[in-house]
Amino acid sequence: MDYLNTLIEKDRHETYLTRKNILEDLIEQTFKILKSSTDSDEIKEEAEKLVDYRLQLIDINEYLEKSK
């Protein structure tokens, strides 16, 4: 059972690292859109996405910090 729990935790950790990388890429893309857009609706939508991505990233970083 310990072996199984270890595998599950390792997989969970790798999943969180993958999510972190994806979110960082999404944040970078969102900043590019915000810098180049002049449409206020698009800016608002992208800003909302950015806040959501940042909140998710904070949660992921907290998990990764605790799991060290």
Side-chain angles (χ1 to χ4, degrees):
M1 191 67 173
D2 286 338
Y3 178 71
L4 181 58
N5 286 338
T6 302
L7 286 177
I8 291 169
E9 191 56 38
K10 182 180 179 198
D11 185 57
R12 181 178 293 130
H13 186 79
E14 290 175 6
T15 300
Y16 272 83
L17 288 174
T18 301
R19 286 180 61 202
K20 178 180 178 179
N21 290 334
I22 291 169
L23 283 168
E24 288 172 344
D25 288 344
L26 287 170
I27 289 169
E28 185 178 324
Q29 292 302 317
T30 302
F31 272 122
K32 288 179 182 176
I33 293 169
L34 286 171
K35 287 181 181 179
S36 65
S37 180
T38 57
D39 178 23
S40 62
D41 290 334
E42 182 180 36
I43 291 171
K44 180 181 176 185
E45 183 179 314
E46 293 301 317
E48 289 171 355
K49 287 181 188 177
L50 185 61
V51 170
D52 182 53
Y53 297 155
R54 287 290 300 142
L55 291 173
Q56 290 181 51
L57 189 58
I58 289 167
D59 290 341
I60 289 170
N61 285 333
E62 287 175 357
Y63 170 81
L64 292 172
E65 191 64 33
K66 289 178 186 176
S67 67
K68 283 186 178 180

